Amino acid sequence: MGIECAPLLAELHEAAFHGGEVWSAASFIDLLSMQGTEVVIALIDNSPAGFILSRTVLDETEILTLAVHPYFRRRGVGRSLVQAILPKGQVFLEVAVCNNPAAALYEKCGFVKAGLRRGYYRDGSDAQVLVSSAF
């Protein structure tokens, strides 16, 4: 999938992060235009349930964002999306220190803490850096 799915990604991202930091369709177009960026969209009954956006450079993959529509949460969508990119090599990401559900998901998928980025988010909150433990 390419930039044509940017409006859908923006819609899903807003639903998933309602009240938080959401990304516009223009942001997704910019990201999808970068070399090595890939999106995987999960469908349930032909409805978009969520997506994972990642960027791979050489043998490292960064999860840029993972969004699951609230209606489809707790159905294994997030875990399936994360597992879809694990074969790419070492995977890393940042997750807000206060986002316990996301941190638990990544831990279940085998990620371990690798560091902390202070003031990483626009609101000034910190992010923990996680890396796949398989490497």
Side-chain angles (χ1 to χ4, degrees), residues 8 12 41-50 69 71-72 75 77:
L8 170 64
L12 283 169
I41 298 174
L43 298 175
I44 295 179
D45 297 328
N46 289 324
S47 294
H69 192 284
Y71 181 78
F72 294 106
R75 297 187 192 189
V77 173

Side-chain angles (χ1 to χ4, degrees), residues 79-91:
R79 188 174 194 159
S80 295
L81 288 166
V82 172
Q83 289 174 336
I85 66 162
L86 287 177
K88 292 178 173 256
Q90 187 172 37
V91 180

Side-chain angles (χ1 to χ4, degrees), residues 54-74:
S54 64
R55 181 165 188 240
T56 302
V57 176
L58 300 175
D59 63 344
E60 286 189 353
T61 298
E62 178 183 11
I63 296 174
L64 302 173
T65 192
L66 168 67
V68 177
H69 192 284
Y71 181 78
F72 294 106
R73 288 189 182 149
R74 303 196 186 278

